[in-house]
Amino acid sequence: MNMSEVMARYLRAAGVDVMFGYPGDPSVELLEGCRNVGMDFILGRREGTAGLMAQAYGMLTGKPGVALSTLGPGSTNLVNAVANAYLDRTPMIAISGQIDTKRLPTFTHQVVDQHSLFTPVSKWATEIAPHTVGHVMRKAHRIAMAPRKGPVHLTTPADYVGAAAFDDEIKLPPVDGVGHGVVVYGEDADPVGLISGAKRPVVLYGISAMQGNAGAEIAALAEKIGAALVSSPMAKGTVAETHPLFAGVLDMACNAQMWDLVRSADLIIAAGFDGVELIKAWDVPAPVLHIDNVPNTDQIYESPVEMVGSISHILASLVEDVKSADGFGAKAIKAHRDALMAAYEDGRVSGVLNPSDVIRVAKADAPTDTIVTADVGSHKLLVGQGWTTHNPRSCLNSNGLSSMGFSLPAAMVAKYLNPDRNVICFTGDGGLAMVQSELRLAASLGLGLKVVVFCDNSLNRIELKQMARQYPSTGTVIEDTDVVKMAESMACDGIMVETEQALADALSRPVSNTPLVIGARIDPKQYWTQF
């Protein structure tokens, strides 16, 4: 086998069945290797969006998404997606071509130092060669999947990709095993006693809890001690948000009410919560019991006791050891939820389509297994709090690096992997403008997803800050685009709506193999009240 064939066979053995990218000269052998092992290749319209597709694949499957670029501008365009996966804690193997090693020391055309470029935004960056390919693929896989999960970057020189491989052994590391060893940190640590002394505990769960499938154990612990359940945005659905103890999502819409609840607690049980998702600084007086598969090295919050190991196993053992308690209780949580949802509608203007109306209408008839994606912007805060999520990995958003343009590529991959499920992409007109060429790819793949565009002709998050300082809107206005014509030019269906009924009618259209782009003309005044 040549080096590319070993790489392709390794990825296939690891369960990866599709690669996303934009190839170049150094990619030819790898593309052929992928074809020979039955791995699909999806040609994104640019490297950055192909990388976001690979990230979404990692989010949805738990396996590393694979992104491919060529050298020079291909690799520089890929950087943002790799950084996104890095801060969103998503496993990825990113591969970039490079010129041949003979010319590399002295040639300059399209040559960038990829090791220096990707090292700050990946868990590992290295060059792969015929005499190291099997070992490097195994190490890259293990690093990408190890807590905290994230991307690695591999450089493939042009004279290596087709060269005979001297290291062709394909051995998968034990990346999916779950050990039961637990390390407890803290002077005189007594996590059971800490929980038993709490009268108003909150379980705050995050990315690692979702990735570790710890939802059942989180719910069981909350039920036993009467804890309020609070989700991070990327962990939505880890516990069904119809659970009577579910209190809401932190740092999304109505965040003042959510922080008031968290600050009222006398104990925070942080289950796989990652501070990378925090928008507001941590300002909670209650002690934190840190439960995660990594120690609390960030120190965004102090934690007198840390329990490090399998999150689900730790929680299950605590359920057995702690005593039952009333805690907050379902009645108090319901009162909080009712007040939260009332605040969620604050600022609505009669006679127009408000941002919160779009979320309410979209979820009214959506099946419980619907997958939604949200882009970055004011609408993400509303989706994060207002969309009722029933299952893990079914509400995707970028909340670490928080890169605009994420939602459409993510929704495309969701529909590609789950053709029988309803998929709704929520995006702003700014976010869509960054990636709208991918609609043509969605059409060619026959992906019948629904793309709901919040049309207000503004970069609203920034414009709101200008308004708060009584500055005029400068550099935040997006020119109006004919959504229908744009969609049709991409072989999609398109429609503009300005009322709740028109939006409901558009969303209820029979599912087809053609993407539907719905331009929702909203009045942004509600954002001012909300944010």
Side-chain angles (χ1 to χ4, degrees), residues 17-362:
D17 53 5
V18 61
M19 179 185 293
F20 306 88
Y22 205 104
D25 289 348
S27 313
V28 173
E29 293 293 339
L30 184 54
L31 290 180
E32 179 63 9
C34 290
R35 187 187 69 82
N36 286 332
V37 299
M39 182 183 295
D40 291 335
F41 182 81
I42 292 181
L43 173 62
R45 295 313 182 240
R46 60 185 301 272
E47 296 86 354
T49 44
L52 294 176
M53 293 175 197
Q55 180 187 351
Y57 181 92
M59 287 177 162
L60 289 158
T61 67
K63 295 177 286 192
V66 181
L68 175 69
S69 82
T70 189
L71 75 169
S75 59
T76 58
N77 280 341
L78 186 60
V79 169
N80 181 69
V82 175
N84 218 54
Y86 185 61
L87 290 187
D88 283 346
R89 317 308 194 196
T90 305
M92 176 190 287
I93 296 176
I95 304 167
S96 295
Q98 184 58 284
I99 66 166
D100 56 272
T101 55
K102 182 179 180 180
R103 291 187 297 162
L104 188 58
T106 57
F107 205 69
T108 55
H109 178 67
Q110 288 195 313
V111 173
V112 294
D113 182 346
Q114 293 182 358
H115 185 270
S116 297
L117 187 67
F118 285 96
T119 292
V121 294
S122 59
K123 296 180 69 179
W124 186 44
T126 193
E127 183 181 281
I128 198 164
H131 60 282
T132 63
V133 55
H135 182 198
V136 168
M137 290 301 295
R138 184 169 70 253
K139 182 174 179 179
H141 187 197
R142 186 68 184 95
I143 290 175
M145 293 296 292
R148 293 169 170 150
K149 297 181 181 184
V152 298
H153 182 266
L154 307 177
T155 295
T156 55
D159 54 333
Y160 285 172
V161 289
F166 300 102
D167 175 17
D168 60 1
E169 191 171 32
I170 296 172
K171 286 188 176 180
L172 302 180
V175 296
D176 295 321
V178 178
H180 288 169
V182 179
V183 179
V184 180
Y185 298 90
E187 187 176 351
D188 301 322
D190 179 14
V192 172
L194 193 62
I195 294 173
S196 297
K199 303 298 183 184
R200 294 172 60 84
V202 164
V203 178
L204 173 60
Y205 53 92
I207 301 171
S208 295
M210 181 273 293
Q211 293 174 336
N213 300 312
E217 292 79 11
I218 290 171
L221 179 61
E223 290 162 6
K224 190 161 186 181
I225 63 175
L229 289 166
V230 177
S231 176
S232 80
M234 291 184 65
K236 279 176 66 67
T238 302
V239 177
E241 294 176 3
T242 52
H243 193 286
L245 293 175
F246 178 72
V249 181
L250 192 64
D251 262 353
M252 290 285 105
C254 311
N255 65 338
Q257 289 88 341
M258 289 304 304
W259 277 107
D260 285 346
L261 175 81
V262 173
R263 291 191 190 97
S264 74
D266 57 4
L267 175 66
I268 306 297
I269 302 172
F273 176 74
D274 190 332
V276 76
E277 290 206 69
L278 285 177
I279 299 173
K280 301 292 185 182
W282 186 266
D283 181 23
V284 179
V288 178
L289 171 57
H290 175 90
I291 299 172
D292 208 340
N293 46 29
V294 295
N296 181 23
T297 55
D298 291 331
Q299 289 297 303
I300 289 172
Y301 53 74
E302 296 180 28
S303 49
V305 180
E306 300 178 26
M307 303 181 74
V308 180
S310 163
I311 298 171
S312 59
H313 176 73
I314 293 171
L315 293 169
S317 65
L318 290 174
V319 171
E320 292 181 1
D321 294 341
V322 300
K323 296 180 180 179
S324 298
D326 294 334
F328 273 94
K331 184 177 180 179
I333 297 300
K334 183 180 184 305
H336 161 80
R337 285 287 299 170
D338 289 345
L340 186 73
M341 289 297 97
Y344 184 79
E345 298 289 352
D346 283 352
R348 289 185 71 254
V349 179
S350 62
V352 299
L353 187 62
N354 295 277
S356 67
D357 299 337
V358 176
I359 311 301
R360 184 179 353 94
V361 170

Side-chain angles (χ1 to χ4, degrees), residues 462-474 528:
I462 310 305
E463 190 174 32
L464 287 176
K465 298 180 189 301
Q466 292 173 331
M467 292 170 63
R469 300 176 191 181
Q470 297 183 333
Y471 295 164
S473 296
T474 304
W528 177 249

Side-chain angles (χ1 to χ4, degrees), residues 412-494:
M412 290 166 58
V413 176
K415 192 64 175 178
Y416 175 83
L417 295 174
N418 303 276
D420 296 328
R421 290 175 67 176
N422 186 43
V423 175
I424 301 175
C425 165
F426 291 111
T427 186
D429 40 16
L432 180 63
M434 292 185 174
V435 297
Q436 62 191 29
S437 58
E438 299 298 343
L439 287 170
R440 186 63 188 87
L441 173 60
S444 69
L445 293 173
L447 304 177
L449 69 157
K450 298 180 177 71
V451 181
V452 179
V453 188
F454 289 73
C455 296
D456 61 359
N457 307 120
S458 167
L459 297 178
N460 181 260
R461 298 299 298 148
I462 310 305
E463 190 174 32
L464 287 176
K465 298 180 189 301
Q466 292 173 331
M467 292 170 63
R469 300 176 191 181
Q470 297 183 333
Y471 295 164
S473 296
T474 304
T476 54
V477 176
I478 296 175
E479 295 78 13
D480 195 23
T481 297
D482 189 324
V483 169
V484 176
K485 287 183 178 179
M486 183 271 292
E488 291 174 347
S489 74
M490 301 285 179
C492 300
D493 293 332

